Amino acid sequence: MPTSEPWHLLHTNSSHVSFDGITTFNESLLHKFNYKIYSNGTLSNSSRCVLAFGVYKPVMLSNGTIINGTKCDSPVDPIEARGALGVVFAVLFAALIMWGLVNLRKHGQSHLPLEKHFRLVSRRWPWYWAILTAAIGCISGFMAIDVDRDHLPGAAIILQSVFYYGSLPTMLAAVWEMTRHWGSFEERKILDGDPFALKQDDRRSKIEFYIPLVFYLFGFLVSQPPYHGVISN
């Protein structure tokens, strides 16, 4: 909802006010139904907000009903730099999704007999997280289009922010899984030379099992966006 100061009303007679160069709004109806015209070109009564300029000017009936009203967060403005860059990054992220799927199929296959300690899924997790990160980035990029075009901030900027912050923990998870898979590969090379070189029920094995859970817990908690209170326009 807009919270800026009301637009300067130019009185043409005792019952109407002039707005945007055309006398259309009945002043008594505005006050009766608690409507105000704001400096950002919107008409609102704190529960409903519509655009009130140019071709989007609504019509208010005697019972307070507004017809031909366009919501304040409608995408009516032209696309700008944010939206153009968002499209570019969204296309790049879409290409990364395809690249991740190709690599998931290529590197997720098993060429050796499966062993309980070296599960096949551990090889695939880095690509799962990479694909998820690319998908989140793709959605965030396309949301940037409506961030530019919305007259007032709305769902588009909320979704873009949510997906943007969501890409950080998934990217960290992808890097973590790649590092963990490298460690598992090195461990397998040691066991190939001596199957009894490393125990599977000692402290080291327990740390290897629990440390990923700790990483994911703190990784997703720490990367959450800071809260700075309600932002008013």
Side-chain angles (χ1 to χ4, degrees), residues 121-130 169-185 208-209 211-213 215-216 220:
V121 68
S122 64
R123 183 184 305 176
R124 295 174 178 173
W125 269 114
W127 302 108
Y128 289 152
W129 286 116
T170 57
M171 181 179 62
L172 291 176
V175 176
W176 165 267
E177 289 295 341
M178 290 178 184
T179 305
R180 192 157 70 100
H181 175 62
W182 174 81
S184 177
F185 174 72
E208 288 182 356
F209 177 80
I211 200 66
L213 303 179
F215 171 83
Y216 283 123
F220 280 86

PDB file of all heavy atoms in Angstrom, residues 121-130 169-185 208-209 211-213 215-216 220:
ATOM      1  N   VAL A 121      24.740 -42.609  -4.998  1.00  0.00           N
ATOM      2  CA  VAL A 121      24.093 -41.315  -4.846  1.00  0.00           C
ATOM      3  C   VAL A 121      25.082 -40.231  -4.433  1.00  0.00           C
ATOM      4  O   VAL A 121      24.890 -39.051  -4.740  1.00  0.00           O
ATOM      5  CB  VAL A 121      22.936 -41.410  -3.825  1.00  0.00           C
ATOM      6  CG1 VAL A 121      23.484 -41.647  -2.426  1.00  0.00           C
ATOM      7  CG2 VAL A 121      22.064 -40.169  -3.863  1.00  0.00           C
ATOM      8  N   SER A 122      26.159 -40.604  -3.725  1.00  0.00           N
ATOM      9  CA  SER A 122      27.141 -39.602  -3.303  1.00  0.00           C
ATOM     10  C   SER A 122      27.821 -38.954  -4.497  1.00  0.00           C
ATOM     11  O   SER A 122      28.263 -37.806  -4.418  1.00  0.00           O
ATOM     12  CB  SER A 122      28.186 -40.248  -2.388  1.00  0.00           C
ATOM     13  OG  SER A 122      28.927 -41.235  -3.095  1.00  0.00           O
ATOM     14  N   ARG A 123      27.906 -39.679  -5.602  1.00  0.00           N
ATOM     15  CA  ARG A 123      28.488 -39.124  -6.805  1.00  0.00           C
ATOM     16  C   ARG A 123      27.535 -38.166  -7.506  1.00  0.00           C
ATOM     17  O   ARG A 123      27.951 -37.288  -8.263  1.00  0.00           O
ATOM     18  CB  ARG A 123      28.866 -40.269  -7.751  1.00  0.00           C
ATOM     19  CG  ARG A 123      29.552 -39.843  -9.018  1.00  0.00           C
ATOM     20  CD  ARG A 123      29.793 -41.015  -9.926  1.00  0.00           C
ATOM     21  NE  ARG A 123      30.530 -42.075  -9.255  1.00  0.00           N
ATOM     22  CZ  ARG A 123      30.810 -43.248  -9.822  1.00  0.00           C
ATOM     23  NH1 ARG A 123      30.391 -43.497 -11.050  1.00  0.00           N
ATOM     24  NH2 ARG A 123      31.480 -44.157  -9.164  1.00  0.00           N
ATOM     25  N   ARG A 124      26.257 -38.337  -7.267  1.00  0.00           N
ATOM     26  CA  ARG A 124      25.255 -37.531  -7.963  1.00  0.00           C
ATOM     27  C   ARG A 124      24.869 -36.258  -7.223  1.00  0.00           C
ATOM     28  O   ARG A 124      24.366 -35.319  -7.830  1.00  0.00           O
ATOM     29  CB  ARG A 124      24.000 -38.386  -8.182  1.00  0.00           C
ATOM     30  CG  ARG A 124      24.219 -39.570  -9.101  1.00  0.00           C
ATOM     31  CD  ARG A 124      22.991 -40.455  -9.156  1.00  0.00           C
ATOM     32  NE  ARG A 124      23.163 -41.574 -10.084  1.00  0.00           N
ATOM     33  CZ  ARG A 124      22.299 -42.557 -10.225  1.00  0.00           C
ATOM     34  NH1 ARG A 124      21.200 -42.573  -9.476  1.00  0.00           N
ATOM     35  NH2 ARG A 124      22.524 -43.533 -11.079  1.00  0.00           N
ATOM     36  N   TRP A 125      25.089 -36.232  -5.902  1.00  0.00           N
ATOM     37  CA  TRP A 125      24.643 -35.079  -5.118  1.00  0.00           C
ATOM     38  C   TRP A 125      25.210 -33.746  -5.601  1.00  0.00           C
ATOM     39  O   TRP A 125      24.479 -32.740  -5.617  1.00  0.00           O
ATOM     40  CB  TRP A 125      24.971 -35.284  -3.635  1.00  0.00           C
ATOM     41  CG  TRP A 125      23.861 -35.947  -2.874  1.00  0.00           C
ATOM     42  CD1 TRP A 125      23.869 -37.164  -2.292  1.00  0.00           C
ATOM     43  CD2 TRP A 125      22.556 -35.400  -2.631  1.00  0.00           C
ATOM     44  NE1 TRP A 125      22.666 -37.443  -1.704  1.00  0.00           N
ATOM     45  CE2 TRP A 125      21.835 -36.367  -1.894  1.00  0.00           C
ATOM     46  CE3 TRP A 125      21.921 -34.214  -2.969  1.00  0.00           C
ATOM     47  CZ2 TRP A 125      20.521 -36.162  -1.489  1.00  0.00           C
ATOM     48  CZ3 TRP A 125      20.610 -34.019  -2.566  1.00  0.00           C
ATOM     49  CH2 TRP A 125      19.923 -34.978  -1.837  1.00  0.00           C
ATOM     50  N   PRO A 126      26.490 -33.654  -5.981  1.00  0.00           N
ATOM     51  CA  PRO A 126      26.980 -32.357  -6.477  1.00  0.00           C
ATOM     52  C   PRO A 126      26.180 -31.833  -7.658  1.00  0.00           C
ATOM     53  O   PRO A 126      25.924 -30.623  -7.761  1.00  0.00           O
ATOM     54  CB  PRO A 126      28.434 -32.652  -6.868  1.00  0.00           C
ATOM     55  CG  PRO A 126      28.816 -33.829  -6.043  1.00  0.00           C
ATOM     56  CD  PRO A 126      27.580 -34.648  -5.915  1.00  0.00           C
ATOM     57  N   TRP A 127      25.760 -32.728  -8.541  1.00  0.00           N
ATOM     58  CA  TRP A 127      25.005 -32.293  -9.718  1.00  0.00           C
ATOM     59  C   TRP A 127      23.563 -32.005  -9.368  1.00  0.00           C
ATOM     60  O   TRP A 127      22.935 -31.125  -9.993  1.00  0.00           O
ATOM     61  CB  TRP A 127      25.112 -33.351 -10.813  1.00  0.00           C
ATOM     62  CG  TRP A 127      26.538 -33.613 -11.190  1.00  0.00           C
ATOM     63  CD1 TRP A 127      27.293 -34.711 -10.911  1.00  0.00           C
ATOM     64  CD2 TRP A 127      27.400 -32.694 -11.867  1.00  0.00           C
ATOM     65  NE1 TRP A 127      28.568 -34.555 -11.384  1.00  0.00           N
ATOM     66  CE2 TRP A 127      28.672 -33.324 -11.981  1.00  0.00           C
ATOM     67  CE3 TRP A 127      27.241 -31.420 -12.393  1.00  0.00           C
ATOM     68  CZ2 TRP A 127      29.756 -32.718 -12.592  1.00  0.00           C
ATOM     69  CZ3 TRP A 127      28.309 -30.799 -13.012  1.00  0.00           C
ATOM     70  CH2 TRP A 127      29.550 -31.449 -13.111  1.00  0.00           C
ATOM     71  N   TYR A 128      23.022 -32.710  -8.380  1.00  0.00           N
ATOM     72  CA  TYR A 128      21.672 -32.361  -7.916  1.00  0.00           C
ATOM     73  C   TYR A 128      21.637 -30.916  -7.419  1.00  0.00           C
ATOM     74  O   TYR A 128      20.745 -30.132  -7.786  1.00  0.00           O
ATOM     75  CB  TYR A 128      21.243 -33.302  -6.785  1.00  0.00           C
ATOM     76  CG  TYR A 128      20.948 -34.722  -7.215  1.00  0.00           C
ATOM     77  CD1 TYR A 128      21.109 -35.784  -6.325  1.00  0.00           C
ATOM     78  CD2 TYR A 128      20.501 -35.003  -8.492  1.00  0.00           C
ATOM     79  CE1 TYR A 128      20.832 -37.091  -6.710  1.00  0.00           C
ATOM     80  CE2 TYR A 128      20.225 -36.304  -8.878  1.00  0.00           C
ATOM     81  CZ  TYR A 128      20.399 -37.344  -7.987  1.00  0.00           C
ATOM     82  OH  TYR A 128      20.119 -38.627  -8.370  1.00  0.00           O
ATOM     83  N   TRP A 129      22.609 -30.577  -6.575  1.00  0.00           N
ATOM     84  CA  TRP A 129      22.649 -29.223  -6.023  1.00  0.00           C
ATOM     85  C   TRP A 129      22.960 -28.187  -7.105  1.00  0.00           C
ATOM     86  O   TRP A 129      22.421 -27.074  -7.081  1.00  0.00           O
ATOM     87  CB  TRP A 129      23.680 -29.125  -4.908  1.00  0.00           C
ATOM     88  CG  TRP A 129      23.259 -29.785  -3.636  1.00  0.00           C
ATOM     89  CD1 TRP A 129      23.840 -30.863  -3.032  1.00  0.00           C
ATOM     90  CD2 TRP A 129      22.164 -29.407  -2.792  1.00  0.00           C
ATOM     91  NE1 TRP A 129      23.179 -31.188  -1.877  1.00  0.00           N
ATOM     92  CE2 TRP A 129      22.146 -30.315  -1.700  1.00  0.00           C
ATOM     93  CE3 TRP A 129      21.204 -28.409  -2.850  1.00  0.00           C
ATOM     94  CZ2 TRP A 129      21.203 -30.232  -0.688  1.00  0.00           C
ATOM     95  CZ3 TRP A 129      20.259 -28.329  -1.832  1.00  0.00           C
ATOM     96  CH2 TRP A 129      20.261 -29.231  -0.778  1.00  0.00           C
ATOM     97  N   ALA A 130      23.822 -28.531  -8.046  1.00  0.00           N
ATOM     98  CA  ALA A 130      24.152 -27.593  -9.124  1.00  0.00           C
ATOM     99  C   ALA A 130      22.929 -27.310  -9.994  1.00  0.00           C
ATOM    100  O   ALA A 130      22.682 -26.158 -10.387  1.00  0.00           O
ATOM    101  CB  ALA A 130      25.298 -28.162  -9.971  1.00  0.00           C
ATOM    102  N   PRO A 169      22.822 -20.976  -0.258  1.00  0.00           N
ATOM    103  CA  PRO A 169      23.046 -22.267   0.420  1.00  0.00           C
ATOM    104  C   PRO A 169      23.124 -23.438  -0.551  1.00  0.00           C
ATOM    105  O   PRO A 169      23.879 -24.390  -0.315  1.00  0.00           O
ATOM    106  CB  PRO A 169      21.842 -22.392   1.358  1.00  0.00           C
ATOM    107  CG  PRO A 169      20.815 -21.481   0.800  1.00  0.00           C
ATOM    108  CD  PRO A 169      21.558 -20.355   0.184  1.00  0.00           C
ATOM    109  N   THR A 170      22.357 -23.412  -1.644  1.00  0.00           N
ATOM    110  CA  THR A 170      22.441 -24.516  -2.598  1.00  0.00           C
ATOM    111  C   THR A 170      23.787 -24.535  -3.309  1.00  0.00           C
ATOM    112  O   THR A 170      24.323 -25.607  -3.607  1.00  0.00           O
ATOM    113  CB  THR A 170      21.305 -24.422  -3.622  1.00  0.00           C
ATOM    114  OG1 THR A 170      21.348 -23.151  -4.281  1.00  0.00           O
ATOM    115  CG2 THR A 170      19.953 -24.576  -2.938  1.00  0.00           C
ATOM    116  N   MET A 171      24.337 -23.360  -3.583  1.00  0.00           N
ATOM    117  CA  MET A 171      25.656 -23.304  -4.213  1.00  0.00           C
ATOM    118  C   MET A 171      26.731 -23.812  -3.252  1.00  0.00           C
ATOM    119  O   MET A 171      27.631 -24.562  -3.646  1.00  0.00           O
ATOM    120  CB  MET A 171      25.985 -21.871  -4.634  1.00  0.00           C
ATOM    121  CG  MET A 171      27.342 -21.707  -5.321  1.00  0.00           C
ATOM    122  SD  MET A 171      27.647 -20.014  -5.825  1.00  0.00           S
ATOM    123  CE  MET A 171      27.639 -19.175  -4.233  1.00  0.00           C
ATOM    124  N   LEU A 172      26.628 -23.419  -1.974  1.00  0.00           N
ATOM    125  CA  LEU A 172      27.567 -23.924  -0.973  1.00  0.00           C
ATOM    126  C   LEU A 172      27.444 -25.440  -0.836  1.00  0.00           C
ATOM    127  O   LEU A 172      28.452 -26.147  -0.682  1.00  0.00           O
ATOM    128  CB  LEU A 172      27.302 -23.254   0.373  1.00  0.00           C
ATOM    129  CG  LEU A 172      27.631 -21.767   0.488  1.00  0.00           C
ATOM    130  CD1 LEU A 172      27.202 -21.242   1.852  1.00  0.00           C
ATOM    131  CD2 LEU A 172      29.115 -21.523   0.273  1.00  0.00           C
ATOM    132  N   ALA A 173      26.209 -25.935  -0.911  1.00  0.00           N
ATOM    133  CA  ALA A 173      26.000 -27.377  -0.814  1.00  0.00           C
ATOM    134  C   ALA A 173      26.636 -28.099  -1.997  1.00  0.00           C
ATOM    135  O   ALA A 173      27.196 -29.193  -1.843  1.00  0.00           O
ATOM    136  CB  ALA A 173      24.510 -27.685  -0.740  1.00  0.00           C
ATOM    137  N   ALA A 174      26.546 -27.514  -3.190  1.00  0.00           N
ATOM    138  CA  ALA A 174      27.159 -28.134  -4.367  1.00  0.00           C
ATOM    139  C   ALA A 174      28.676 -28.209  -4.216  1.00  0.00           C
ATOM    140  O   ALA A 174      29.300 -29.241  -4.507  1.00  0.00           O
ATOM    141  CB  ALA A 174      26.785 -27.345  -5.620  1.00  0.00           C
ATOM    142  N   VAL A 175      29.288 -27.103  -3.742  1.00  0.00           N
ATOM    143  CA  VAL A 175      30.739 -27.096  -3.530  1.00  0.00           C
ATOM    144  C   VAL A 175      31.124 -28.103  -2.449  1.00  0.00           C
ATOM    145  O   VAL A 175      32.128 -28.825  -2.564  1.00  0.00           O
ATOM    146  CB  VAL A 175      31.214 -25.675  -3.161  1.00  0.00           C
ATOM    147  CG1 VAL A 175      32.701 -25.673  -2.832  1.00  0.00           C
ATOM    148  CG2 VAL A 175      30.933 -24.710  -4.303  1.00  0.00           C
ATOM    149  N   TRP A 176      30.319 -28.148  -1.384  1.00  0.00           N
ATOM    150  CA  TRP A 176      30.591 -29.091  -0.300  1.00  0.00           C
ATOM    151  C   TRP A 176      30.553 -30.532  -0.804  1.00  0.00           C
ATOM    152  O   TRP A 176      31.443 -31.330  -0.502  1.00  0.00           O
ATOM    153  CB  TRP A 176      29.574 -28.882   0.816  1.00  0.00           C
ATOM    154  CG  TRP A 176      29.533 -30.013   1.809  1.00  0.00           C
ATOM    155  CD1 TRP A 176      28.694 -31.089   1.767  1.00  0.00           C
ATOM    156  CD2 TRP A 176      30.361 -30.187   2.946  1.00  0.00           C
ATOM    157  NE1 TRP A 176      28.931 -31.914   2.828  1.00  0.00           N
ATOM    158  CE2 TRP A 176      29.961 -31.395   3.574  1.00  0.00           C
ATOM    159  CE3 TRP A 176      31.391 -29.446   3.513  1.00  0.00           C
ATOM    160  CZ2 TRP A 176      30.553 -31.864   4.725  1.00  0.00           C
ATOM    161  CZ3 TRP A 176      31.985 -29.912   4.670  1.00  0.00           C
ATOM    162  CH2 TRP A 176      31.580 -31.103   5.262  1.00  0.00           C
ATOM    163  N   GLU A 177      29.538 -30.872  -1.575  1.00  0.00           N
ATOM    164  CA  GLU A 177      29.400 -32.240  -2.065  1.00  0.00           C
ATOM    165  C   GLU A 177      30.515 -32.597  -3.049  1.00  0.00           C
ATOM    166  O   GLU A 177      30.960 -33.751  -3.090  1.00  0.00           O
ATOM    167  CB  GLU A 177      28.033 -32.433  -2.721  1.00  0.00           C
ATOM    168  CG  GLU A 177      26.869 -32.437  -1.750  1.00  0.00           C
ATOM    169  CD  GLU A 177      26.919 -33.626  -0.797  1.00  0.00           C
ATOM    170  OE1 GLU A 177      27.609 -34.617  -1.096  1.00  0.00           O
ATOM    171  OE2 GLU A 177      26.262 -33.569   0.260  1.00  0.00           O
ATOM    172  N   MET A 178      30.958 -31.636  -3.838  1.00  0.00           N
ATOM    173  CA  MET A 178      32.087 -31.898  -4.733  1.00  0.00           C
ATOM    174  C   MET A 178      33.351 -32.202  -3.937  1.00  0.00           C
ATOM    175  O   MET A 178      34.112 -33.119  -4.259  1.00  0.00           O
ATOM    176  CB  MET A 178      32.320 -30.691  -5.652  1.00  0.00           C
ATOM    177  CG  MET A 178      31.240 -30.483  -6.683  1.00  0.00           C
ATOM    178  SD  MET A 178      31.536 -29.025  -7.708  1.00  0.00           S
ATOM    179  CE  MET A 178      30.041 -28.995  -8.700  1.00  0.00           C
ATOM    180  N   THR A 179      33.568 -31.425  -2.875  1.00  0.00           N
ATOM    181  CA  THR A 179      34.733 -31.658  -2.018  1.00  0.00           C
ATOM    182  C   THR A 179      34.620 -32.996  -1.297  1.00  0.00           C
ATOM    183  O   THR A 179      35.590 -33.752  -1.176  1.00  0.00           O
ATOM    184  CB  THR A 179      34.871 -30.516  -0.997  1.00  0.00           C
ATOM    185  OG1 THR A 179      34.920 -29.268  -1.681  1.00  0.00           O
ATOM    186  CG2 THR A 179      36.132 -30.677  -0.166  1.00  0.00           C
ATOM    187  N   ARG A 180      33.413 -33.294  -0.812  1.00  0.00           N
ATOM    188  CA  ARG A 180      33.209 -34.558  -0.096  1.00  0.00           C
ATOM    189  C   ARG A 180      33.375 -35.754  -1.041  1.00  0.00           C
ATOM    190  O   ARG A 180      33.914 -36.798  -0.647  1.00  0.00           O
ATOM    191  CB  ARG A 180      31.823 -34.564   0.541  1.00  0.00           C
ATOM    192  CG  ARG A 180      31.621 -35.697   1.541  1.00  0.00           C
ATOM    193  CD  ARG A 180      30.514 -35.343   2.502  1.00  0.00           C
ATOM    194  NE  ARG A 180      29.215 -35.349   1.870  1.00  0.00           N
ATOM    195  CZ  ARG A 180      28.348 -36.364   1.963  1.00  0.00           C
ATOM    196  NH1 ARG A 180      28.674 -37.444   2.650  1.00  0.00           N
ATOM    197  NH2 ARG A 180      27.176 -36.293   1.392  1.00  0.00           N
ATOM    198  N   HIS A 181      32.926 -35.602  -2.258  1.00  0.00           N
ATOM    199  CA  HIS A 181      33.086 -36.694  -3.219  1.00  0.00           C
ATOM    200  C   HIS A 181      34.567 -36.907  -3.551  1.00  0.00           C
ATOM    201  O   HIS A 181      35.008 -38.056  -3.733  1.00  0.00           O
ATOM    202  CB  HIS A 181      32.308 -36.388  -4.499  1.00  0.00           C
ATOM    203  CG  HIS A 181      32.511 -37.406  -5.572  1.00  0.00           C
ATOM    204  ND1 HIS A 181      32.150 -38.730  -5.428  1.00  0.00           N
ATOM    205  CD2 HIS A 181      33.062 -37.304  -6.806  1.00  0.00           C
ATOM    206  CE1 HIS A 181      32.458 -39.391  -6.529  1.00  0.00           C
ATOM    207  NE2 HIS A 181      33.020 -38.547  -7.386  1.00  0.00           N
ATOM    208  N   TRP A 182      35.327 -35.812  -3.639  1.00  0.00           N
ATOM    209  CA  TRP A 182      36.774 -35.946  -3.876  1.00  0.00           C
ATOM    210  C   TRP A 182      37.426 -36.709  -2.723  1.00  0.00           C
ATOM    211  O   TRP A 182      38.272 -37.584  -2.933  1.00  0.00           O
ATOM    212  CB  TRP A 182      37.397 -34.570  -4.025  1.00  0.00           C
ATOM    213  CG  TRP A 182      38.886 -34.607  -4.125  1.00  0.00           C
ATOM    214  CD1 TRP A 182      39.648 -34.888  -5.234  1.00  0.00           C
ATOM    215  CD2 TRP A 182      39.822 -34.372  -3.067  1.00  0.00           C
ATOM    216  NE1 TRP A 182      40.985 -34.842  -4.938  1.00  0.00           N
ATOM    217  CE2 TRP A 182      41.129 -34.525  -3.618  1.00  0.00           C
ATOM    218  CE3 TRP A 182      39.696 -34.052  -1.713  1.00  0.00           C
ATOM    219  CZ2 TRP A 182      42.275 -34.360  -2.846  1.00  0.00           C
ATOM    220  CZ3 TRP A 182      40.829 -33.888  -0.956  1.00  0.00           C
ATOM    221  CH2 TRP A 182      42.100 -34.045  -1.521  1.00  0.00           C
ATOM    222  N   GLY A 183      37.030 -36.386  -1.476  1.00  0.00           N
ATOM    223  CA  GLY A 183      37.561 -37.114  -0.325  1.00  0.00           C
ATOM    224  C   GLY A 183      37.186 -38.580  -0.364  1.00  0.00           C
ATOM    225  O   GLY A 183      37.990 -39.454  -0.009  1.00  0.00           O
ATOM    226  N   SER A 184      35.942 -38.878  -0.774  1.00  0.00           N
ATOM    227  CA  SER A 184      35.523 -40.272  -0.886  1.00  0.00           C
ATOM    228  C   SER A 184      36.319 -41.007  -1.955  1.00  0.00           C
ATOM    229  O   SER A 184      36.670 -42.185  -1.793  1.00  0.00           O
ATOM    230  CB  SER A 184      34.026 -40.324  -1.210  1.00  0.00           C
ATOM    231  OG  SER A 184      33.601 -41.657  -1.391  1.00  0.00           O
ATOM    232  N   PHE A 185      36.637 -40.309  -3.037  1.00  0.00           N
ATOM    233  CA  PHE A 185      37.433 -40.918  -4.102  1.00  0.00           C
ATOM    234  C   PHE A 185      38.842 -41.241  -3.617  1.00  0.00           C
ATOM    235  O   PHE A 185      39.395 -42.319  -3.889  1.00  0.00           O
ATOM    236  CB  PHE A 185      37.487 -39.966  -5.300  1.00  0.00           C
ATOM    237  CG  PHE A 185      38.396 -40.423  -6.398  1.00  0.00           C
ATOM    238  CD1 PHE A 185      38.052 -41.496  -7.206  1.00  0.00           C
ATOM    239  CD2 PHE A 185      39.606 -39.773  -6.627  1.00  0.00           C
ATOM    240  CE1 PHE A 185      38.900 -41.921  -8.223  1.00  0.00           C
ATOM    241  CE2 PHE A 185      40.451 -40.192  -7.638  1.00  0.00           C
ATOM    242  CZ  PHE A 185      40.103 -41.277  -8.443  1.00  0.00           C
ATOM    243  N   GLU A 208      32.741 -38.332   9.514  1.00  0.00           N
ATOM    244  CA  GLU A 208      32.365 -38.254   8.109  1.00  0.00           C
ATOM    245  C   GLU A 208      30.855 -38.369   7.910  1.00  0.00           C
ATOM    246  O   GLU A 208      30.307 -37.808   6.957  1.00  0.00           O
ATOM    247  CB  GLU A 208      33.063 -39.360   7.320  1.00  0.00           C
ATOM    248  CG  GLU A 208      34.556 -39.140   7.127  1.00  0.00           C
ATOM    249  CD  GLU A 208      35.183 -40.234   6.289  1.00  0.00           C
ATOM    250  OE1 GLU A 208      34.446 -41.197   5.945  1.00  0.00           O
ATOM    251  OE2 GLU A 208      36.378 -40.134   5.976  1.00  0.00           O
ATOM    252  N   PHE A 209      30.191 -39.068   8.808  1.00  0.00           N
ATOM    253  CA  PHE A 209      28.747 -39.226   8.693  1.00  0.00           C
ATOM    254  C   PHE A 209      27.991 -38.001   9.213  1.00  0.00           C
ATOM    255  O   PHE A 209      27.020 -37.542   8.588  1.00  0.00           O
ATOM    256  CB  PHE A 209      28.302 -40.470   9.461  1.00  0.00           C
ATOM    257  CG  PHE A 209      26.812 -40.669   9.458  1.00  0.00           C
ATOM    258  CD1 PHE A 209      26.179 -41.233   8.357  1.00  0.00           C
ATOM    259  CD2 PHE A 209      26.040 -40.287  10.551  1.00  0.00           C
ATOM    260  CE1 PHE A 209      24.801 -41.414   8.346  1.00  0.00           C
ATOM    261  CE2 PHE A 209      24.667 -40.470  10.543  1.00  0.00           C
ATOM    262  CZ  PHE A 209      24.041 -41.029   9.437  1.00  0.00           C
ATOM    263  N   ILE A 211      29.284 -34.785  10.041  1.00  0.00           N
ATOM    264  CA  ILE A 211      29.701 -33.432   9.664  1.00  0.00           C
ATOM    265  C   ILE A 211      28.881 -32.863   8.513  1.00  0.00           C
ATOM    266  O   ILE A 211      28.612 -31.648   8.485  1.00  0.00           O
ATOM    267  CB  ILE A 211      31.215 -33.398   9.343  1.00  0.00           C
ATOM    268  CG1 ILE A 211      31.749 -31.960   9.438  1.00  0.00           C
ATOM    269  CG2 ILE A 211      31.500 -33.982   7.983  1.00  0.00           C
ATOM    270  CD1 ILE A 211      31.726 -31.381  10.803  1.00  0.00           C
ATOM    271  N   PRO A 212      28.421 -33.662   7.538  1.00  0.00           N
ATOM    272  CA  PRO A 212      27.549 -33.078   6.507  1.00  0.00           C
ATOM    273  C   PRO A 212      26.239 -32.547   7.065  1.00  0.00           C
ATOM    274  O   PRO A 212      25.738 -31.520   6.611  1.00  0.00           O
ATOM    275  CB  PRO A 212      27.313 -34.245   5.537  1.00  0.00           C
ATOM    276  CG  PRO A 212      28.450 -35.164   5.757  1.00  0.00           C
ATOM    277  CD  PRO A 212      28.767 -35.058   7.212  1.00  0.00           C
ATOM    278  N   LEU A 213      25.679 -33.232   8.059  1.00  0.00           N
ATOM    279  CA  LEU A 213      24.440 -32.755   8.669  1.00  0.00           C
ATOM    280  C   LEU A 213      24.646 -31.412   9.352  1.00  0.00           C
ATOM    281  O   LEU A 213      23.806 -30.513   9.259  1.00  0.00           O
ATOM    282  CB  LEU A 213      23.928 -33.785   9.680  1.00  0.00           C
ATOM    283  CG  LEU A 213      23.681 -35.196   9.132  1.00  0.00           C
ATOM    284  CD1 LEU A 213      23.204 -36.114  10.247  1.00  0.00           C
ATOM    285  CD2 LEU A 213      22.677 -35.166   7.999  1.00  0.00           C
ATOM    286  N   PHE A 215      26.966 -29.234   8.555  1.00  0.00           N
ATOM    287  CA  PHE A 215      27.206 -28.253   7.488  1.00  0.00           C
ATOM    288  C   PHE A 215      25.894 -27.754   6.893  1.00  0.00           C
ATOM    289  O   PHE A 215      25.692 -26.551   6.726  1.00  0.00           O
ATOM    290  CB  PHE A 215      28.074 -28.868   6.395  1.00  0.00           C
ATOM    291  CG  PHE A 215      28.179 -28.000   5.168  1.00  0.00           C
ATOM    292  CD1 PHE A 215      29.090 -26.967   5.118  1.00  0.00           C
ATOM    293  CD2 PHE A 215      27.345 -28.222   4.077  1.00  0.00           C
ATOM    294  CE1 PHE A 215      29.176 -26.165   3.994  1.00  0.00           C
ATOM    295  CE2 PHE A 215      27.432 -27.425   2.947  1.00  0.00           C
ATOM    296  CZ  PHE A 215      28.353 -26.398   2.915  1.00  0.00           C
ATOM    297  N   TYR A 216      24.999 -28.676   6.563  1.00  0.00           N
ATOM    298  CA  TYR A 216      23.725 -28.272   5.963  1.00  0.00           C
ATOM    299  C   TYR A 216      22.890 -27.449   6.930  1.00  0.00           C
ATOM    300  O   TYR A 216      22.227 -26.481   6.530  1.00  0.00           O
ATOM    301  CB  TYR A 216      22.943 -29.511   5.520  1.00  0.00           C
ATOM    302  CG  TYR A 216      23.458 -30.122   4.251  1.00  0.00           C
ATOM    303  CD1 TYR A 216      23.865 -31.449   4.197  1.00  0.00           C
ATOM    304  CD2 TYR A 216      23.553 -29.364   3.087  1.00  0.00           C
ATOM    305  CE1 TYR A 216      24.341 -32.004   3.015  1.00  0.00           C
ATOM    306  CE2 TYR A 216      24.032 -29.908   1.907  1.00  0.00           C
ATOM    307  CZ  TYR A 216      24.425 -31.232   1.881  1.00  0.00           C
ATOM    308  OH  TYR A 216      24.891 -31.777   0.717  1.00  0.00           O
ATOM    309  N   PHE A 220      22.348 -23.484   5.761  1.00  0.00           N
ATOM    310  CA  PHE A 220      21.045 -22.942   5.394  1.00  0.00           C
ATOM    311  C   PHE A 220      20.550 -21.903   6.398  1.00  0.00           C
ATOM    312  O   PHE A 220      19.756 -21.038   6.057  1.00  0.00           O
ATOM    313  CB  PHE A 220      20.022 -24.071   5.261  1.00  0.00           C
ATOM    314  CG  PHE A 220      20.104 -24.802   3.952  1.00  0.00           C
ATOM    315  CD1 PHE A 220      20.989 -25.853   3.785  1.00  0.00           C
ATOM    316  CD2 PHE A 220      19.319 -24.421   2.884  1.00  0.00           C
ATOM    317  CE1 PHE A 220      21.081 -26.530   2.580  1.00  0.00           C
ATOM    318  CE2 PHE A 220      19.393 -25.086   1.663  1.00  0.00           C
ATOM    319  CZ  PHE A 220      20.281 -26.140   1.511  1.00  0.00           C
TER     320      PHE A 220
END
